[in-house]
Amino acid sequence: MIQAALIGNPNTGKTSLFNKLTSSYEYVGNWSGVTVEKKVGQLRDKTGQLTDLPGIYTLLPITRDEGVAVSYLVNESPELLVNIVDASQLERNLQLTIQILEYGKPVILGLNMIDVAKSNGLAVTPEVLAERLGITVIPLVARTGAGTDFLLEQISLPHHDSPQFNLNYGDRLEKAISLISRELMTSPPQNTDISSYRWLAIQILENNPVVISSLSSYANLNQLLAIQKNVREEFISEGMTESLHDHIRSIRAEYIHQVCSEAVDASGKKPHSLTEKIDAIAAHPFWGIPLFLFTMLIAFKLTFDWLGDPLSDLLDGFISGAFSQSATQLLIAVGASSFTQSLIIDGIIAGVGGVLVFLPQIFILFLMISFIEDSGYMARITVMMDRLMQLAGLNGKAMIPFIIGFGCNVPAIMASRSIEQPKERTLTMLLIPLMSCSARLPVYALFAGIFFVRQQAVVVLSLYVLGIALTLLLAKLFSLTLFKDKHSFFLIELPPYRMPQSATLLRSTWEKGKGFLRKAGTFILGGTVLIWLLTYFGPGGSNVDMDQSYLAVLGGWFAAILQPIGFGTWQSGASLVTGFMAKEVVVSTMNIIYHVPDMPGLQHQIAQFFTPLQAYSFMTFVLLYTPCLATVGVLRKETSSWKWTLFSVAYSLLLAYTISFIIYQGGRLIGFV
């Protein structure tokens, strides 16, 4: 069984290719000691496993992702590396390729997006590239699958030759490389699995922190670092201002330029690509942001008005109608007790079903987010928002986890790993819970569908905009107080626009959406059973009146506190308390409390207890108050700090109460009810 690894720059089509080469894939936790996701899949022909390394630019790590890739190469040493490069950006991509070739393990070069290069007027000759680099080069179009079958055949071959690649870095550096290599060969390190001591020597000269850390127990490390120091001092004494790393990079760049001049015919290159033409409008400094807001409005129109609502109504009719009736008949047929019937029908089906009816809307929103990500537009959003984010103490890259947070706060917090600076990473994680995740959608859909029938999309969009506005204000406040005197930089690659592949798009949507279904079978199911039990029992015994139940007692503790913000009833208090388990449970709780079999019945009950102003205040509170249990857990894991986790819980509660108070009391003052 071959152990291969997929490696390349971000936005080179690595994910699409991984999906094509593997029959299935799974996330098997995180890389050892690092909170960066590890993705492994079995090759389609069952000949081995393929590990998808994070998209990186260099083996000299700046980000966590790059550190993970280097650590993998040092400690796990795959049998084969499949390097994916973008044929339309070949010169830049080959910087990583040269470093991989020096690593010394067998390499196959996947020349992806050959169609994009051709459309841009670039003619790439794979045979010339293969001859100059000394490895197999396979043209690919991962989006359509062209070339992937041949690539799979090549990966599955039982024997692969290691590249005989040596780039001359000049007499002085070559002498140092020889000294370090000889020392390593004489006394090999015990805790690393390196096939090329030359590569290891170059990494030491470049002062690669991951490599040097892996040699921390190596007895002769100080001697190796002394050689590095001597070379650096010689460079300085001769008036060379560039670092050893910069010198090595410049030699690689010169060689790459020579290779590309032979392998790429750019005589037909077009002055303006399709991406540049689209960017003239989509990424325009003035029109770009209104266009982005219009795009999000269309997404919400599809989610709620045009497509989501009709599908949700159909699903609600099935759950509350045929499914509930069949379940009732089955329970009667098997002689289930009244307690069991009530638990299953009024508790589990009403509670879980009350959330599942919003499944179409959630999947549609995930589909929209996946389309924005895969099309290349997401990166433009981060660039357009960078200036605004800088004013708030963040940078444009924080927009990516924020937008992912519209789907779910948990993966959004994990996505903040791509932010290089600890200050901005922590600040972003603290603010992500203000992004309106899909778990809040059932609450919005329920209340907006009752009180704002004709303006559902606009009202829901206003909640998203409110969350973003408060995020920016708090980012500025926290950066001036909690994170002052800490500077950062913003670096992101703009991929070309491309039409997302339908299979990849659906797979991405499913991966996002199945987390919601998993919650429906765990948190929401468990929560609805607990909530129903709290309504069934009370201080007076079992099967008590709802107002005399333990749930009413629990909600009553918070009713007086919630009165100034518009919803001082035990029902509202109980719903918000149980919503800490998962925000969807707010709707489950109301289904159980109001004891209604279908959505129209629940809407009728809520209309008697809320006014439009109270409903908007309630939705705002749900938007801003304490993150759900899963979010709190991942926040603790990612920050490695109870201090920041508890701070997030505390400030969000205070913020939710303050903003809801302003909305409700301010609305009353100007005449709203």
Side-chain angles (χ1 to χ4, degrees):
M1 294 283 285
I2 190 169
Q3 297 294 323
L6 204 60
I7 187 169
N9 288 184
N11 303 310
T12 54
K14 221 159 45 67
T15 298
S16 294
L17 190 63
F18 182 81
N19 292 340
K20 295 286 185 183
L21 293 173
T22 56
S23 55
S24 63
Y25 70 95
E26 57 182 318
Y27 296 96
V28 289
N30 293 329
W31 294 91
S32 178
V34 187
T35 52
V36 176
E37 211 159 50
K38 182 177 184 178
K39 187 162 64 174
V40 178
Q42 188 179 47
L43 292 171
R44 284 204 325 261
D45 58 5
K46 313 296 183 185
T47 57
Q49 284 190 325
L50 185 65
T51 299
D52 187 17
L53 294 174
I56 62 174
Y57 294 102
T58 175
L59 295 183
L60 187 67
I62 297 175
T63 66
R64 290 185 181 189
D65 287 357
E66 289 169 343
V68 161
V70 179
S71 180
Y72 173 81
L73 295 178
V74 171
N75 298 311
E76 299 190 38
S77 190
E79 300 170 48
L80 173 68
L81 289 171
V82 183
N83 177 212
I84 307 303
V85 299
D86 179 353
S88 65
Q89 304 287 341
L90 190 58
E91 193 159 341
R92 185 186 64 210
N93 281 211
L94 287 181
Q95 275 285 347
L96 177 62
T97 303
I98 297 301
Q99 298 173 63
I100 294 170
L101 291 174
E102 291 175 333
Y103 176 64
K105 283 296 183 74
V107 177
I108 295 175
L109 187 71
L111 190 62
N112 194 25
M113 301 186 194
I114 200 79
D115 57 332
V116 175
K118 184 177 180 180
S119 67
N120 291 343
L122 300 174
V124 184
T125 309
E127 295 79 11
V128 175
L129 199 58
E131 182 181 351
R132 290 302 307 267
L133 299 178
I135 56 175
T136 301
V137 177
I138 301 176
L140 298 168
V141 182
R143 183 177 57 83
T144 63
T148 55
D149 288 341
F150 181 63
L151 176 59
L152 181 60
E153 290 177 14
Q154 293 297 305
I155 293 173
S156 303
L157 290 177
H159 302 291
H160 297 277
D161 295 328
S162 296
Q164 302 301 313
F165 184 86
N166 282 328
L167 193 58
N168 191 309
Y169 291 106
D171 293 342
R172 185 171 287 104
L173 277 183
E174 287 298 325
K175 181 180 178 181
I177 291 170
S178 296
L179 288 173
I180 295 174
S181 299
R182 192 179 306 123
E183 189 69 41
L184 291 166
M185 291 172 63
T186 304
S187 178
Q190 299 298 313
N191 298 324
T192 58
D193 184 11
I194 299 297
S195 58
S196 171
Y197 289 125
R198 177 179 173 83
W199 178 81
L200 200 56
I202 294 171
Q203 299 306 307
I204 292 171
L205 289 174
E206 288 192 277
N207 200 31
N208 188 316
V210 175
V211 171
I212 292 174
S213 175
S214 71
L215 296 171
S216 58
S217 60
Y218 181 54
N220 298 337
L221 178 60
N222 289 334
Q223 297 177 34
L224 305 183
L225 295 177
I227 297 172
Q228 177 213 70
K229 181 180 179 183
N230 290 337
V231 177
R232 191 169 64 249
E233 289 175 349
E234 288 177 11
F235 267 57
I236 295 172
S237 67
E238 294 182 5
M240 297 180 68
T241 56
E242 62 182 359
S243 65
L244 296 183
H245 165 65
D246 290 337
H247 178 73
I248 291 172
R249 181 180 176 85
S250 66
I251 292 176
R252 288 172 179 158
E254 184 179 348
Y255 176 77
I256 291 168
H257 182 73
Q258 292 175 359
V259 171
C260 289
S261 66
E262 297 176 20
V264 181
D265 180 4
S267 59
K269 185 176 181 180
K270 299 177 182 178
H272 298 289
S273 66
L274 178 61
T275 289
E276 291 171 329
K277 293 176 182 177
I278 297 175
D279 273 343
I281 301 173
H284 190 276
F286 179 76
W287 295 110
I289 293 178
L291 181 60
F292 164 58
L293 292 176
F294 177 74
T295 301
M296 296 308 296
L297 179 61
I298 294 298
F300 287 122
K301 281 286 187 181
L302 282 168
T303 301
F304 293 98
D305 295 345
W306 298 337
L307 191 57
D309 270 2
L311 292 176
S312 289
D313 290 342
L314 288 174
L315 187 57
D316 177 46
F318 169 73
I319 292 175
S320 61
F323 184 77
S324 293
Q325 292 171 9
S326 298
T328 302
Q329 293 171 1
L330 178 62
L331 290 170
I332 294 173
V334 299
S337 65
S338 59
F339 174 85
T340 303
Q341 290 184 41
S342 182
L343 171 62
I344 293 175
I345 302 299
D346 301 330
I348 295 175
I349 293 179
V352 177
V355 174
L356 289 181
V357 296
F358 300 105
L359 198 61
Q361 295 167 327
I362 289 168
F363 268 91
I364 291 170
L365 183 61
F366 280 145
L367 182 65
M368 296 295 103
I369 293 175
S370 296
F371 184 89
I372 291 172
E373 289 175 343
D374 294 351
S375 67
Y377 186 46
M378 180 77 80
R380 272 74 185 178
I381 295 170
T382 67
V383 173
M384 287 188 295
M385 298 298 292
D386 181 55
R387 182 174 298 179
L388 179 62
M389 302 292 275
Q390 288 283 0
L391 292 175
L394 294 167
N395 68 40
K397 190 172 278 192
M399 275 301 292
I400 294 177
F402 284 157
I403 292 175
I404 293 174
F406 292 156
C408 180
N409 291 169
V410 171
I413 290 174
M414 292 190 288
S416 64
R417 302 163 180 170
S418 63
I419 300 174
E420 294 85 0
Q421 300 77 37
K423 167 248 179 176
E424 292 195 351
R425 189 184 310 123
T426 303
L427 183 53
T428 300
M429 286 190 287
L430 291 176
L431 295 170
I432 281 172
L434 299 183
M435 296 297 103
S436 187
C437 67
S438 62
R440 284 119 156 159
L441 270 180
V443 182
Y444 303 160
L446 175 63
F447 280 84
I450 300 171
F451 299 101
F452 310 102
V453 178
R454 295 183 179 179
Q455 301 88 25
Q456 282 189 70
V458 175
V459 167
V460 175
L461 179 61
S462 73
L463 292 168
Y464 281 75
V465 173
L466 176 63
I468 294 172
L470 290 173
T471 296
L472 296 177
L473 289 173
L474 288 175
K476 186 63 175 179
L477 175 63
F478 292 164
S479 64
L480 291 175
T481 54
L482 302 176
F483 299 96
K484 59 183 177 180
D485 301 325
K486 295 183 179 180
H487 304 286
S488 63
F489 62 90
F490 175 48
L491 175 67
I492 191 169
E493 179 181 354
L494 295 180
Y497 287 104
R498 59 178 69 95
M499 180 59 66
Q501 189 180 7
S502 58
T504 301
L505 192 62
L506 292 174
R507 195 170 191 175
S508 176
T509 302
W510 169 249
E511 286 300 314
K512 292 182 177 75
K514 74 178 183 182
F516 178 82
L517 290 175
R518 191 180 295 117
K519 275 204 292 184
T522 53
F523 280 110
I524 299 172
L525 175 60
T528 54
V529 171
L530 175 62
I531 294 161
W532 183 85
L533 290 173
L534 289 173
T535 63
Y536 191 82
F537 295 97
S542 61
N543 200 18
V544 298
D545 185 76
M546 186 74 70
D547 291 334
Q548 306 301 318
S549 67
Y550 283 122
L551 189 63
V553 174
L554 177 65
W557 293 343
F558 299 94
I561 300 173
L562 298 173
Q563 186 68 41
I565 59 177
F567 38 89
T569 64
W570 74 261
Q571 291 93 336
S572 299
S575 299
L576 292 171
V577 170
T578 56
F580 174 63
M581 289 185 289
K583 292 297 187 289
E584 304 97 328
V585 177
V586 171
V587 175
S588 298
T589 304
M590 289 186 167
N591 263 295
I592 295 171
I593 287 175
Y594 294 118
H595 196 66
V596 289
D598 54 21
M599 193 53 58
L602 178 60
Q603 292 173 336
H604 177 72
Q605 288 287 337
I606 290 176
Q608 298 182 39
F609 288 90
F610 287 84
T611 66
L613 179 60
Q614 291 171 327
Y616 196 81
S617 177
F618 185 83
M619 288 190 291
T620 301
F621 195 87
V622 170
L623 163 69
L624 301 173
Y625 90 115
T626 307
C628 70
L629 186 60
T631 301
V632 171
V634 77
L635 190 60
R636 166 66 183 87
K637 182 179 179 182
E638 295 291 321
T639 61
S640 300
S641 168
W642 276 113
K643 179 187 76 171
W644 288 125
T645 304
L646 294 176
F647 173 77
S648 175
V649 172
Y651 95 76
S652 57
L653 268 175
L654 179 61
L655 179 68
Y657 196 91
T658 302
I659 300 300
S660 292
F661 181 87
I662 293 171
I663 289 173
Y664 180 65
Q665 297 298 340
R668 292 182 64 193
L669 284 175
I670 60 177
F672 286 102
V673 294

